[in-house]
Amino acid sequence: MSEGNTSSNSTFEVSISYFLGSSDNPSMILVSKVFDGTGFAIWKRSTTLALTAKNKFCFVSLSSPGANSPLISNWDRVNSIVISWILNSLNKDIVESVLFFQTAKEIWTELNQRYAQSNGAMIYHIQKQLYSTSQGSEDFSTYFTKMKRVWDELRMIQEIPTCTCNSAAILNKFMEDQRLIQLLMGLNDSYKAIRGQILMMSPLPTISTVHSILIHEERQRDISSTPNFDTESMAMHVNTGSKKNLNCSHCKKSGHIKSQSYRLHGFPANFKFTKTKKIESMVHNVISTDDPQTIS
């Protein structure tokens, strides 16, 4: 490529970075979750993607072009916009600690120095989180999403070189198998049978395939599950329903027949009277009939 073409391309790239569209205003929020001092790696990744999509990531990595540069006024304008975007994505307490930095690069550098851990410490923390995560009372989709988020965070900080040789495919398969084992380890015991079937496959299936298998299994369980009926209550209901067809020829009431009438054959010892006044009247009548002198 000639020197003239290189200069032209550089000018074009700069002009794109300095361009501000109608939607590029100071109140714009780049990320969905405000950074509060935890989860810096995720916040940094989200912010980097958003700034790159806006062609403004160079403002957190490059210094000012200088006071004598013909581009300084444009640079100042875009730099202020990028600072506003970064501040909008920070917790109020953190904003106050970086508010008076003059460039987006200074704020970016300060946040990295303050919150970025060494790779070793971060990998340890994420690996510990991976092996302590289990499905619990969550459905499979929720559990899988949680694991996927941790895998993505780990992949982001692990510096694995890319190559096109045969070893790359072997390494990728090894790492995918490791993630699959982690996923299966955290499943509930209700998946024990299907987990054993998956582990018997050779070679092990991909995570996407296992995801489809377990989602299908979960849906089948929902379809085949039936409500638990109280058989005793059902029997009582049937029994009560059949009693309604019985009629007593003595008292003319339903629910029993003459041979079962308590008035003829006596009340059982455990019978519970619910109408007290009626019972007292019955007792008074019995006493009056047996011994008229007891009544004054």
Side-chain angles (χ1 to χ4, degrees):
M1 183 179 293
S2 64
E3 184 178 349
N5 288 338
T6 302
S7 176
S8 176
N9 289 339
S10 299
T11 303
F12 179 71
E13 290 175 2
V14 168
S15 65
I16 291 178
S17 299
Y18 285 14
F19 173 76
L20 290 174
S22 57
S23 62
D24 295 334
N25 57 79
S27 61
M28 179 181 292
I29 299 176
L30 294 180
V31 295
S32 58
K33 185 179 180 181
V34 171
F35 177 62
D36 59 1
T38 60
F40 179 74
I42 296 176
W43 177 87
K44 180 181 177 180
R45 174 62 174 169
S46 300
T47 306
T48 298
L49 290 174
L51 290 174
T52 303
K54 289 286 189 180
N55 287 311
K56 302 294 184 289
F57 186 72
C58 61
F59 281 85
V60 300
S61 57
L62 298 177
S63 301
S64 166
N68 297 325
S69 172
L71 297 174
I72 187 61
S73 60
N74 290 334
W75 185 91
D76 282 338
R77 186 162 63 102
V78 180
N79 176 65
S80 297
I81 289 287
V82 175
I83 288 178
S84 297
W85 291 347
I86 295 176
L87 296 179
N88 291 341
S89 66
L90 299 174
N91 178 275
K92 180 182 177 181
D93 294 335
I94 300 177
V95 167
E96 293 177 354
S97 68
V98 296
L99 182 60
F100 293 100
F101 283 103
Q102 297 299 311
T103 67
K105 179 185 177 182
E106 291 175 327
I107 295 176
W108 190 258
T109 301
E110 173 67 18
L111 292 174
N112 276 274
Q113 291 177 347
R114 192 186 302 178
Y115 296 105
Q117 304 173 4
S118 66
N119 280 359
M122 292 183 67
I123 291 173
Y124 172 82
H125 173 75
I126 295 172
Q127 289 283 7
K128 184 178 180 181
Q129 185 178 356
L130 269 176
Y131 286 102
S132 63
T133 301
S134 59
Q135 184 180 359
S137 59
E138 300 170 335
D139 59 28
F140 175 72
S141 294
T142 303
Y143 165 63
F144 179 82
T145 301
K146 185 192 300 182
M147 293 292 288
K148 181 69 164 56
R149 185 176 64 249
V150 182
W151 290 333
D152 290 343
E153 188 176 357
L154 182 61
R155 186 186 295 114
M156 185 176 65
I157 64 171
Q158 283 181 325
E159 298 179 358
I160 300 176
T162 57
C163 65
T164 57
C165 64
N166 293 333
S167 299
I170 296 173
L171 179 60
N172 288 334
K173 175 59 177 171
F174 171 78
M175 295 184 67
E176 172 132 332
D177 287 349
Q178 293 299 306
R179 290 192 288 269
L180 175 60
I181 297 299
Q182 292 164 1
L183 179 69
L184 295 177
M185 285 174 63
L187 287 175
N188 289 337
D189 287 340
S190 59
Y191 291 90
K192 185 176 181 179
I194 195 166
R195 177 170 55 199
Q197 294 173 10
I198 293 171
L199 291 173
M200 289 294 291
M201 297 180 183
S202 183
L204 286 173
T206 63
I207 291 178
S208 297
T209 301
V210 171
H211 178 271
S212 298
I213 292 172
L214 293 176
I215 287 291
H216 178 74
E217 170 72 12
E218 191 171 63
R219 288 174 181 170
Q220 288 297 314
R221 292 183 182 187
D222 290 340
I223 293 172
S224 60
S225 62
T226 54
N228 247 339
F229 293 106
D230 189 339
T231 53
E232 183 178 350
S233 298
M234 290 179 65
M236 289 178 64
H237 176 73
V238 172
N239 192 25
T240 303
S242 63
K243 285 183 177 182
K244 290 180 179 179
N245 299 323
L246 302 178
N247 290 285
C248 178
S249 60
H250 173 69
C251 65
K252 309 301 181 183
K253 292 183 178 181
S254 61
H256 64 276
I257 57 177
K258 184 177 180 180
S259 62
Q260 297 173 336
S261 175
Y262 291 161
R263 294 182 181 276
L264 291 176
H265 305 286
F267 291 88
N270 61 347
F271 185 80
K272 294 182 179 180
F273 295 97
T274 56
K275 298 181 179 179
T276 307
K277 292 184 178 179
K278 192 172 182 179
I279 294 169
E280 289 176 351
S281 177
M282 288 172 59
V283 173
H284 182 77
N285 291 336
V286 171
I287 295 174
S288 299
T289 303
D290 292 347
D291 189 2
Q293 296 181 356
T294 57
I295 303 176
S296 56

